[in-house]
Structure formats: structure tokens, C-alpha cells
Amino acid sequence: MPPPPPASMSLSQRLMALAETLQFAWFVGHVTLLLCTLRYALSYITFNSYSRWARFSYRTAFVAAAATYGIVVFKAVRARQRQGKAQPGGAIGLAIDENVQYLGKFPGMALLWLFSRQIPLAILPFAVYSTFHVATYTHTNLLPTLQPPSQGQTKQTSALADNIGRFVKEYYTASMTLVAVLEVLLWFRIVGSAILFQKGSWILLIFYTVFFRIRHSQSNFMQDATKQLTARADAAVANQNTPPAARNIWEQVKGGVRQAADATDVNRFVHQPGPPKKAQ
């Protein structure tokens, strides 16, 4: 993230310099996503989630999500081109990049949700990410622009900046775990729609399952979330009141999932063996 404008500039000049950066557009996109999420949540809790404003807020949130992750992907690709470096793993490496996934390229989610029917749960992972992106940008760029450090100081300290920094540091891990749990629950939500043969649910299930598989292979939070949920399911199935037939079905499902996960591990196509790392 680029540093804030120098303190030698006037406030209006600093704000103008900040607004002209691509990173500020990224910040505005995340703010827009949060505002649209709050507006949609208001409609949802008042049982009016299909009103005109609710539909507008829902779709606009995913437009903002696509824009923000598109900016990240664009900057990453441009930086590699300037340095003359190729994308690790080639096209497959680009496809499994987390930002590309959320942007909406293969398998992608932001644009997929944009053109799919409304599923309120789908917007929550984006909102959690945006909360921390907005907080980080405010702490790192916006506040230093509004209140630059005095001469001789490396950074300006304030109660607000300290509280934001503390919030990001204390709740980041828990929030990423929450995102992983939401993504797992969302998969079960889509499976339920597919079982009921709701319109477009099977196509959505295929795309989201691919996304889910790639996320699971790359995210420690996702792996921990699935392990915790699997452990809880094992404990429930191990109950004496559980019929033996249900236990057998659960074991067969777990075995099938493991085999499918092993067969679809994309990391073997991306990560190349390198020299052993030195002990730190």
C-alpha cells in the first residue's frame, strides 16, 4: 500500500493526491460494499429483501466487490509485467489467485453472485473482508493524510488510530475464521437449493464447489474450519442413538470427499519443487 502524501503539502493538496491513486478507488469500493450491505441487511431484517432498493443494494455490493478485487489483480499483474516476472503456475496460478477467485474469473465469485439469484449469506464474506480493508486503509493512509505527523515524528498518533490498529490486530484471525465458516455454510446452503432443484442451483453448485476446493487448498482458515465441522459431525455420528446405517453413510461420504479432494489438488500443477529452505 503506497504511503500517504507528504506533510509539506496543504490539506487540500494531500486529499487530492490521495484521491488520485488507484488505491483510493479500491478503498471507495470497499466502503460502497459495506454501505450496500448495511442497506440490504436493513431490508432483509424487515422482510423486504426483494424490494427495489434491496435488489439495488445487493447487486451494487457485488459490483463494488468485483471492482475492488479487479484493482488488486490489475496492480499485481502490472507489477509483475514491469519486473519482467511471469505469473507462478501460469494460467492456472492466475486462476487460483484468491483475488481472481473473488473477482469473478474462473472459478470466480463476485460476478457469479452478481448475476445469480439473491442469497443473503453470499454477501457476508465480502463484507467481513471489506471491514478490515477499510479499517486498514483508514489507519494507514486516511488518518495520516488528515493529521500528518509533526516535524521530527515518524507517525502521528491518536486515540482513533490506536483503536483501529488494535481492532485489526485483535480480531483479524477470528474474522478470517468466521469467513471460512460462512463459506462452508454457504456451500451447504447451495446444496440445499440444488436438492430442491431451484432454478440455476446446480450450475451455481458446480462453480462454487470448484471455488471451495481451491480455497480449501490454499487457506489455513478454511482447512481449520472444515476440520472443526468434521469433528463435530463425527462426534454427533458417534452417539449411541445414531443408527448404524447413518454412520456408514457418513463414513462413505467422508471417504468420497477425500478421494475427490486428492484428485482435484491444483497445487501440484502450480507449485514447483525448489531448494530446501534454510532454518530460521
Side-chain angles (χ1 to χ4, degrees), residues 8 45 93 98-99 110 113 151 171 174 182 191 200 209 232 248 251:
S8 58
I45 62 178
E98 181 181 43
N99 293 297
W113 293 124
Q151 188 175 6
Y171 294 101
L182 289 173
V191 169
T209 300
R232 292 186 180 182
N248 293 333
E251 292 299 328

Side-chain angles (χ1 to χ4, degrees), residues 19-157:
E20 290 175 348
T21 62
L22 198 58
Q23 200 70 27
F24 183 77
W26 171 86
F27 168 73
V28 171
H30 283 296
V31 172
T32 302
L33 192 153
L34 287 178
L35 293 176
C36 290
T37 301
L38 292 174
R39 179 61 184 83
Y40 180 75
L42 179 62
S43 297
Y44 184 80
I45 62 178
T46 56
F47 304 99
N48 200 24
S49 59
Y50 285 94
S51 66
R52 183 178 64 179
W53 273 108
R55 294 196 305 268
F56 174 80
S57 300
Y58 183 87
R59 302 300 176 188
T60 303
F62 286 113
V63 170
T68 55
Y69 289 102
I71 289 173
V72 175
V73 173
F74 170 75
K75 291 183 65 176
V77 172
R78 187 176 62 175
R80 289 188 177 277
Q81 290 177 344
R82 288 178 175 177
Q83 297 173 2
K85 296 181 180 180
Q87 171 70 32
I92 297 179
L94 181 62
I96 67 173
D97 181 90
E98 181 181 43
N99 293 297
V100 175
Q101 294 168 29
Y102 274 99
L103 164 64
K105 294 184 179 180
F106 182 80
M109 293 316 301
L111 295 180
L112 184 62
W113 293 124
L114 175 62
F115 296 108
S116 302
R117 60 186 179 81
Q118 291 182 195
I119 299 181
L121 187 59
I123 203 173
L124 295 182
F126 291 92
V128 175
Y129 278 123
S130 291
T131 299
F132 282 88
H133 289 319
V134 169
T136 301
Y137 185 88
T138 301
H139 178 268
T140 307
N141 291 74
L142 189 57
L143 291 181
T145 299
L146 296 174
Q147 293 181 325
S150 304
Q151 188 175 6
Q153 291 182 323
T154 57
K155 64 178 182 178
Q156 179 72 26
T157 59

Side-chain angles (χ1 to χ4, degrees), residues 55-277:
R55 294 196 305 268
F56 174 80
S57 300
Y58 183 87
R59 302 300 176 188
T60 303
F62 286 113
V63 170
T68 55
Y69 289 102
I71 289 173
V72 175
V73 173
F74 170 75
K75 291 183 65 176
V77 172
R78 187 176 62 175
R80 289 188 177 277
Q81 290 177 344
R82 288 178 175 177
Q83 297 173 2
K85 296 181 180 180
Q87 171 70 32
I92 297 179
L94 181 62
I96 67 173
D97 181 90
E98 181 181 43
N99 293 297
V100 175
Q101 294 168 29
Y102 274 99
L103 164 64
K105 294 184 179 180
F106 182 80
M109 293 316 301
L111 295 180
L112 184 62
W113 293 124
L114 175 62
F115 296 108
S116 302
R117 60 186 179 81
Q118 291 182 195
I119 299 181
L121 187 59
I123 203 173
L124 295 182
F126 291 92
V128 175
Y129 278 123
S130 291
T131 299
F132 282 88
H133 289 319
V134 169
T136 301
Y137 185 88
T138 301
H139 178 268
T140 307
N141 291 74
L142 189 57
L143 291 181
T145 299
L146 296 174
Q147 293 181 325
S150 304
Q151 188 175 6
Q153 291 182 323
T154 57
K155 64 178 182 178
Q156 179 72 26
T157 59
S158 66
L160 178 58
D162 292 341
N163 289 334
I164 293 176
R166 190 178 305 111
F167 168 80
V168 172
K169 183 177 181 179
E170 291 182 359
Y171 294 101
Y172 178 81
T173 299
S175 297
M176 294 304 101
T177 301
L178 174 61
V179 168
V181 172
L182 289 173
E183 290 173 342
V184 174
L185 295 178
L186 183 55
W187 185 83
F188 284 103
R189 169 66 176 82
I190 298 173
V191 169
S193 298
I195 293 175
L196 297 176
F197 289 96
Q198 295 182 354
K199 185 178 179 181
S201 58
W202 281 98
I203 296 177
L204 184 60
L205 177 61
I206 292 172
F207 275 93
Y208 190 78
T209 300
V210 175
F211 163 82
F212 185 90
R213 176 64 187 94
I214 296 175
R215 284 278 291 154
H216 185 273
S217 67
Q218 295 182 320
S219 171
N220 292 330
F221 295 108
M222 177 72 77
Q223 295 170 12
D224 292 340
T226 53
K227 287 178 182 178
Q228 292 176 9
L229 293 176
T230 301
R232 292 186 180 182
D234 286 338
V237 171
N239 191 290
Q240 296 180 352
N241 297 327
T242 303
R247 297 178 185 175
N248 293 333
I249 292 175
W250 172 240
E251 292 299 328
Q252 292 176 3
V253 169
K254 285 200 303 182
V257 170
R258 288 195 185 98
Q259 292 179 0
D262 293 338
T264 56
D265 186 6
V266 298
N267 285 325
R268 57 184 175 179
F269 300 107
V270 177
H271 299 299
Q272 301 296 330
K277 295 182 178 180

